């Protein structure tokens, strides 16, 4: 009887002391959803600027031509939160899950000829929060077997909205 009483008392105390908190993963997911497009815009580098045009067009002319370009660029996205990538598609970008691309070997994704403008792959790592008001998202952008860059994206909350604060390139291939 005494054991039942102690078990019951501990059970009641645990129920009372447990506050319903939003799971950390859900909070991270909501923050990630708020900053996703801005992080892509801040870290993606259009490789078409840096590769030579067949006709020898200079760099400034290439940049001007690409500003007017209306073709959508497709990204392979690897992220941990399971967001609905299609909801972020816009006039500029189309996002597809990394698993939708060929991956028999580490080169197949890059060697495959697509019927769309493949911009590369973005790998997002879980958000590391410094506080309730700031955090860092590490991002790797791959644009080929010997092309890519790594970034640390600082985010902060202003008026309950998360924004990209600063982007630091931490590596490149």
């Amino acid at each position: 009887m005494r054991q039942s009483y102690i078990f019951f008392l501990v059970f009641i105390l645990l129920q009372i002391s447990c506050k319903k908190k939003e799971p950390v993963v859900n909070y991270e997911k909501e923050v990630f959803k708020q900053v996703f497009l801005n992080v892509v815009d801040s870290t993606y580098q259009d490789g078409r600027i840096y590769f030579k045009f067949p006709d020898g067009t200079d760099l400034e002319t290439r940049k001007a031509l690409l500003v007017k370009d209306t073709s959508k660029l497709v990204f392979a996205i690897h992220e941990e939160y399971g967001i609905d990538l299609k909801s972020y598609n816009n006039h500029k970008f189309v996002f597809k899950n990394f698993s939708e691309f060929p991956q028999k070997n580490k080169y197949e994704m890059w060697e495959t000829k697509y019927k769309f403008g493949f911009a590369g792959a973005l790998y997002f790592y879980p958000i590391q929060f410094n506080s309730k008001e700031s955090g860092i998202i590490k991002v790797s952008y791959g644009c080929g077997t010997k092309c890519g860059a790594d970034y640390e994206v600082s985010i902060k909350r202003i008026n309950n909205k998360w924004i990209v604060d600063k982007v630091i390139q931490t590596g490149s291939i």
Side-chain angles (χ1 to χ4, degrees):
M1 176 76 177
R2 185 174 174 177
Q3 286 179 335
S4 297
Y5 177 74
I6 291 173
F7 176 76
F8 179 74
L9 185 61
V10 169
F11 178 77
I12 295 297
L13 288 173
L14 285 173
Q15 291 295 326
I16 293 171
S17 66
C18 290
K19 296 178 184 176
K20 294 212 175 204
K21 293 183 179 179
E22 182 179 7
V24 173
V25 173
N26 287 341
Y27 179 72
E28 286 179 26
K29 181 177 181 175
E30 291 308 311
V31 171
F32 183 74
K33 286 165 56 175
Q34 284 184 37
V35 298
F36 176 73
L37 278 178
N38 289 330
V39 171
V40 172
D41 273 333
S42 301
T43 56
Y44 165 65
Q45 296 178 13
D46 194 332
R48 298 174 299 171
I49 293 173
Y50 305 103
F51 297 113
K52 289 187 177 185
F53 277 38
D55 62 1
T57 308
D58 67 88
L59 180 63
E60 292 308 313
T61 305
R62 282 184 263 166
K63 286 181 180 179
L65 288 171
L66 291 175
V67 168
K68 297 175 186 176
D69 184 19
T70 58
S71 59
K72 292 185 176 188
L73 299 173
V74 177
F75 284 95
I77 303 294
H78 184 276
E79 51 85 20
E80 303 290 324
Y81 304 110
I83 64 171
D84 177 16
L85 293 171
K86 289 180 182 172
S87 68
Y88 294 93
N89 292 348
N90 58 36
H91 68 283
K92 193 173 171 183
F93 302 130
V94 173
F95 301 103
K96 295 183 177 223
N97 192 291
F98 194 80
S99 63
E100 294 179 48
F101 290 85
Q103 297 172 36
K104 289 180 187 169
N105 64 56
K106 64 182 179 179
Y107 302 110
E108 187 175 15
M109 179 190 286
W110 309 111
E111 293 171 347
T112 301
K113 300 291 182 199
Y114 300 102
K115 294 181 180 180
F116 50 80
F118 182 53
L122 284 163
Y123 305 81
F124 294 91
Y125 298 90
I127 300 170
Q128 299 170 333
F129 289 98
N130 301 330
S131 68
K132 292 182 179 182
E133 306 298 321
S134 67
I136 293 174
I137 303 173
K138 292 185 179 185
V139 180
S140 291
Y141 168 63
C143 46
T145 57
K146 296 181 181 177
C147 172
D150 295 322
Y151 301 91
E152 280 191 0
V153 180
S154 297
I155 58 173
K156 68 180 179 181
R157 184 165 58 178
I158 297 178
N159 298 326
N160 283 332
K161 287 198 132 195
W162 286 89
I163 62 164
V164 172
D165 182 40
K166 185 167 63 169
V167 179
I168 299 171
Q169 186 173 342
T170 57
S172 64
I173 298 173

